[in-house]
Amino acid sequence: MAQVLEFKLPDLGEGLTEAEIVRWLVEVGDVVAIDQPVVEVETAKAMVEVPCPYGGVVTARFGEEGTELPVGAPLLTVAVGAPEGLETSGPVTPGPSGARNGSAPSGPSSPSSSSGSSATESSGGSGNVLVGYGTGAPAARRRRIRPDRLDRTPTRSGALTVEAAVPEAPVSEAPVSGAPGVPVPAASSTAAPGSVAPVSDGPVPVVSPLVRRLARQHDIELRRLTGSGPDGLILRADVDRAIRQAEEAEAAKTRTARAATAPTGASPAAASPAASAAPAAERIPLRGVRGAVADKLSRSRTEIPDATCWVDADATELMAVRAAMNAATGPSAGPKVSVLALLARICTAALARFPELNSTVDTEAREIVRLPGVHLGFAAQTERGLVVPVVRDAHTRNAESIGAEIARLTELARTGKLSPAQLTGGTFTLNNYGVFGVDGSTPIINHPEAAMLGVGRIMPKPWVHQGELAVRQVVQLSLTFDHRVCDGGTAGGFLRYVADCVEQPAVLLRTL
């Protein structure tokens, strides 16, 4: 006998509590294999393809593209453990009429397991604890069961009821609140999802504590809602729809009351000229990357007593060295080296001299934790917003290796394919805001790091060189640091060393 299993949005790691559906990779009626990616979601860290631990036929999807779901919310349901005579590799034949009427189909059937673990094993589930990724097994080719070979009954949520292979069973794993053993009556097929239904004395078909809390906060009577989920299950979308309807009704009532109290001799246009002329303000939700940036920067400003120092440096010699590197031919030739890669190499050398800035503060233990390695983050502006990819073990790399890794991570950032692991764990950040055509800035520290080096644009300016006024390539460097980990002398020494390396790259030869 087939069994319908519910796949919920798994914990994607790094403390993430919700994700937004970007693109569904399967449709209702598709046959999926174990650990096949079924949906692409966007978290505050990255875009992730979420694999399903069950193999079978997709019977329902929860949430449209653009919907934000909390961790643990249902993603989809899968009918697994097809009975004898229903093979996923061959055509699916409709069940007998008795199956449509709710009676068990004739013929042998495999018993379903009562425990969650045995259900996973019998259904062919992977059994893995998903943290945003599957077992790595290659995904099977996506196939859809032909409509003429499958007896289907469309539900209000667009779900597909596989009547020949799936018995009527509750999708949820948790019991519905109310009297034990009392079945939840299915909602009428003619009722619209989220519409008001007659009050019932039976248990409320809700299994999500989030849905119940949301309804309580907005005084929504769940018994009066018609659920759009399987077997009339009330979903968050149903409650959100009821909230919007209530708000629209309240707004209409307010407009009616204002119109009734307006002076009778005045025309509507003359009564409220300001209201009709003033455009409505746009409200943009703080979520996804924008929400994560807002939370992190707010926490940095709240917790870290930061200070900033800056200096102008003559980068003419650095630009000449870079040009010589990239113009080399023969055995000494290699990949092009960027200015950012040279500055990153200078940072790792400076952090070796001033390790106080490669640290973090443990506020609970009231300790400064000096970190053994440098994981260098660099700010990158993408269509999704500001992200900070991390070059691992930058202190062990040369300029060429750092440049290659920066180029690789930048390409992943532009295509939205950075994983959460590639966006976390930095110990120091390099911010090249000169690409925006500005000279200076006071950057906010990337919490929980202790410092950030900012680099402005490199441009020709008048400069006193060897006692004479000349036009040189000048750059402004700024260092924002956590005053808890060091004093101004240490921060000034770090920034001066960086400036010396920019002005005289030969200084770096001592540390190579």
Side-chain angles (χ1 to χ4, degrees):
M1 180 181 296
Q3 183 180 13
V4 176
L5 296 181
E6 183 181 78
F7 174 46
K8 301 178 180 179
L9 178 65
D11 179 8
L12 301 175
E14 303 295 341
L16 302 174
T17 58
E18 64 274 327
E20 180 179 340
I21 297 176
V22 176
R23 182 168 58 99
W24 282 103
L25 305 179
V26 295
E27 301 286 344
V28 173
D30 285 355
V31 177
V32 296
I34 296 174
D35 289 339
Q36 175 181 337
V38 293
V39 65
E40 188 179 57
V41 300
E42 179 182 19
T43 69
K45 300 292 185 181
M47 303 271 280
V48 179
E49 288 187 351
V50 181
C52 179
Y54 311 124
V57 180
V58 178
T59 59
R61 298 187 320 190
F62 302 100
E64 301 296 331
E65 294 178 355
T67 304
E68 191 172 64
L69 298 178
V71 171
L75 271 178
L76 50 79
T77 55
V78 180
V80 299
E84 184 178 345
L86 181 61
E87 301 293 339
T88 58
S89 60
V92 179
T93 58
S97 58
R100 296 193 188 97
N101 298 330
S103 60
S106 61
S109 62
S110 58
S112 60
S113 172
S114 59
S115 65
S117 59
S118 59
T120 302
E121 294 172 1
S122 63
S123 63
S126 65
N128 295 319
V129 179
L130 297 179
V131 189
Y133 305 94
T135 58
R141 186 175 62 182
R142 186 173 126 186
R143 294 180 289 112
R144 181 175 295 178
I145 296 178
R146 290 176 53 185
D148 57 346
R149 295 178 177 268
L150 185 64
D151 193 358
R152 305 181 296 177
T153 302
T155 63
R156 290 171 302 279
S157 60
L160 174 66
T161 305
V162 187
E163 295 180 349
V166 184
E168 295 184 359
V171 175
S172 62
E173 298 175 357
V176 178
S177 61
V182 179
V184 178
S188 173
S189 59
T190 59
S195 61
V196 177
V199 179
S200 172
D201 295 332
V204 181
V206 179
V207 297
S208 172
L210 179 63
V211 173
R212 292 182 180 274
R213 183 178 64 183
L214 188 64
R216 284 197 303 269
Q217 291 173 347
H218 294 83
D219 296 327
I220 300 297
E221 177 57 51
L222 290 174
R223 294 183 181 275
R224 300 186 62 85
L225 296 184
T226 300
S228 60
D231 296 327
L233 184 68
I234 298 177
L235 307 178
R236 179 173 179 174
D238 302 325
V239 178
D240 289 338
R241 190 179 300 107
I243 293 173
R244 288 194 301 269
Q245 293 173 354
E247 291 174 348
E248 292 171 358
E250 185 65 25
K253 185 185 299 183
T254 303
R255 288 193 298 267
T256 303
R258 289 177 178 175
T261 57
T264 56
S267 63
S272 57
S276 59
E282 182 183 6
R283 291 180 175 269
I284 303 174
L286 274 176
R287 64 184 186 186
V289 174
R290 186 75 262 159
V293 170
D295 293 341
K296 199 158 195 176
L297 296 184
S298 299
R299 184 176 182 183
S300 178
R301 278 298 193 203
T302 303
E303 294 186 8
I304 299 178
D306 58 349
T308 303
C309 55
W310 54 88
V311 65
D312 291 339
D314 181 3
T316 306
E317 295 299 325
L318 181 69
M319 300 303 290
V321 167
R322 174 179 177 265
M325 287 180 178
N326 294 337
T329 59
S332 59
K336 302 294 184 182
V337 178
S338 65
V339 176
L340 187 61
L342 293 176
L343 292 170
R345 180 64 185 89
I346 292 173
C347 282
T348 59
L351 290 172
R353 284 178 169 252
F354 300 93
E356 298 92 337
L357 295 173
N358 192 56
S359 60
T360 186
V361 176
D362 188 341
T363 54
E364 294 184 359
R366 294 185 60 82
E367 295 175 344
I368 298 174
V369 182
R370 291 189 181 176
L371 305 170
V374 178
H375 302 309
L376 186 67
F378 63 96
Q381 191 70 35
T382 68
E383 293 182 357
R384 298 177 59 238
L386 179 67
V387 295
V388 184
V390 177
V391 178
R392 302 287 171 184
D393 301 317
H395 61 289
T396 64
R397 299 173 180 262
N398 56 26
E400 184 177 297
S401 174
I402 292 176
E405 184 66 2
I406 288 177
R408 186 183 72 87
L409 293 173
T410 300
E411 181 60 27
L412 291 175
R414 287 173 180 168
T415 57
K417 296 181 179 179
L418 284 171
S419 67
Q422 293 170 320
L423 290 167
T424 54
T427 62
F428 185 91
T429 297
L430 176 61
N431 187 359
N432 180 22
Y433 44 75
V435 296
F436 302 117
V438 297
D439 296 326
S441 174
T442 54
I444 301 176
I445 296 174
N446 188 20
H447 185 279
E449 298 171 11
M452 176 185 291
L453 178 69
V455 182
R457 60 178 175 172
I458 302 175
M459 62 179 303
K461 287 184 179 180
W463 190 267
V464 177
H465 177 65
Q466 296 179 353
E468 296 182 357
L469 186 64
V471 176
R472 308 286 287 181
Q473 299 290 324
V474 180
V475 62
Q476 185 179 98
L477 306 172
S478 61
L479 176 71
T480 299
F481 64 97
D482 187 342
H483 227 313
R484 296 173 297 178
V485 303
C486 68
D487 297 325
T490 301
F494 175 92
L495 189 59
R496 186 66 255 173
Y497 179 80
V498 172
D500 289 344
C501 291
V502 169
E503 295 182 340
Q504 304 176 33
V507 174
L508 273 178
L509 293 176
R510 293 182 178 179
T511 60
L512 296 180

